[in-house]
Amino acid sequence: MIKLNRRIAALKPSATMAAETRATELKAAGVDVISLAAGEPDFDTPERIKEAARRALAAGQTKYTPVAGTRELKEAIRLKLKRDNGLDYEIAEIMASAGGKQAEANIIAALFDEGDEVIIPTPAWVSFVAMVNLSGARATLVECPEGNGFTLDPERLRRAITPRTRGIILNSPSNPTGAVYSASQLGELAKILLEAGLWVLSDDVYEHIAYDGAAPHLFQIEPRLKAKGFALNSLSKAYAMTGWRIGFAAGPKEAIAAASRLQGQNSGNPNSITQIAAIEALTGPQDEILAMREEFRRRRQLVVERVRKIPGFSLPHVPGGAFYVFPNISALIGTHLDGRAVADGNAFADLILDAAQVAIVGGNDFGAPHHVRLSYATSIDNLNAAFDRIERVVAKLQR
Ligand code: PLP
């Protein structure tokens, strides 16, 4: 075995990407797999955005750009943050990256160090813990109980803060739970965060997929948090642009400059054509967002109904955002099928892939091993067929 860097050696593959890759491989081998694993909209990128990219390509805009994005792109991001979130940023406070993931990884790497603790309310997106570990800091997982709608209880937050705590990562609407924090919940958390003086990373990637009105922004609820806050976002979900790789971070100048230096050394600017497409996405007509959200809303209703009919699945709260459901499957733990035991969410997901040819993601790597994540970013027909298959397999499980 070769000797790897200690932190890289400990790095696990992303569970969501692994599930999606397995589904793709099986499909390529001719297996009729329905995937409810992917974290990406099934819609095509809107035509006006593709057209902007074609124009950029024809005009030869294929060279390096400034590392943190062109001035025009940063202007478009600035406009977006003002228009959608009521937040004022300067150009020097903005960095564009190859996806929200890269923006977040670079900010986390720039801010945190060995000996630091970073609070991550769980269930949480699989990459947050990995990014914090890579920085050398330690992730402090704070459980958000299902009974609390998977949101962070202020008392638990208070108890998790130690003299070593330097930051927190919040994500609303949440991947994987779909939980959306209300303005009053954010207000409660803001008081504690302000007092503790932590870096506050707000992952707003699913902001436009909120079903009960706009998801409130933490820095709008408590503007004083903005001085130590980062608005982290991506065009992947809002504009169906996952493959284009464009996201951004907005926050205090010095930290943005540090993260940009890191980006300059380890990758460079986000794709030049994508940057031009992103300007069109952010500044052009925004009606596609609404159309996609309404389609997701229709699917959410179907998925909630179908999940609740499966014996052993429990889904007490209708998720308020994103395009995932995160049912509890505790009642199925300890059952088995043909000698294969359902030991946890991951084992159940593996069984469902093999026996039902439906790809879902086990909850283990989200910090919730008695849950599974199902994405409804696929057609109603696919969803119905997937649930028919899952029901048939669950009916065969034995104690
Ligand atoms: N943050 C959350 C919560 C996500 O679910 C994702 C993608 O799944 C991202 C960030 C990163 O998105 P991207 O790198 O595609 O912009």
Side-chain angles (χ1 to χ4, degrees), residues 147-219:
N148 216 19
F150 292 116
T151 56
L152 179 59
D153 173 61
E155 260 326 295
R156 285 188 188 222
L157 168 61
R158 209 185 282 282
R159 284 201 302 271
I161 297 172
T162 75
R164 287 175 172 271
T165 309
R166 300 225 23 251
I168 181 167
I169 307 176
L170 290 168
N171 171 220
S172 170
S174 151
N175 172 11
T177 66
V180 183
Y181 285 78
S182 69
S184 71
Q185 283 176 310
L186 291 177
E188 285 298 304
L189 298 177
K191 279 187 222 152
I192 301 167
L193 296 174
L194 205 56
E195 198 180 303
L198 307 183
W199 290 109
V200 181
L201 280 60
S202 173
D203 178 319
D204 311 327
V205 164
Y206 294 92
E207 65 175 343
H208 290 301
I209 311 170
Y211 304 107
D212 306 311
H217 201 288
L218 181 61
F219 308 152

Side-chain angles (χ1 to χ4, degrees), residues 46 48 83 238-239 281 284-294:
R48 66 182 176 91
R83 179 192 61 208
Y239 301 96
Q286 301 291 297
D287 358 329
E288 306 103 353
I289 290 180
L290 191 68
M292 289 191 237
R293 179 167 67 228
E294 290 316 301

Side-chain angles (χ1 to χ4, degrees), residues 99-101 104 125 128 171 175 203 205-206 234 236-237 245:
K101 207 177 230 183
E104 295 180 350
W125 181 47
F128 291 145
N171 171 220
N175 172 11
D203 178 319
V205 164
Y206 294 92
S234 158
S236 289
K237 322 285 172 172
R245 309 310 299 136

Side-chain angles (χ1 to χ4, degrees), residues 40 90 98 109 121 229 242 251 322 344 384:
E40 65 178 352
E90 294 170 27
T242 47
D344 55 21
N384 273 319

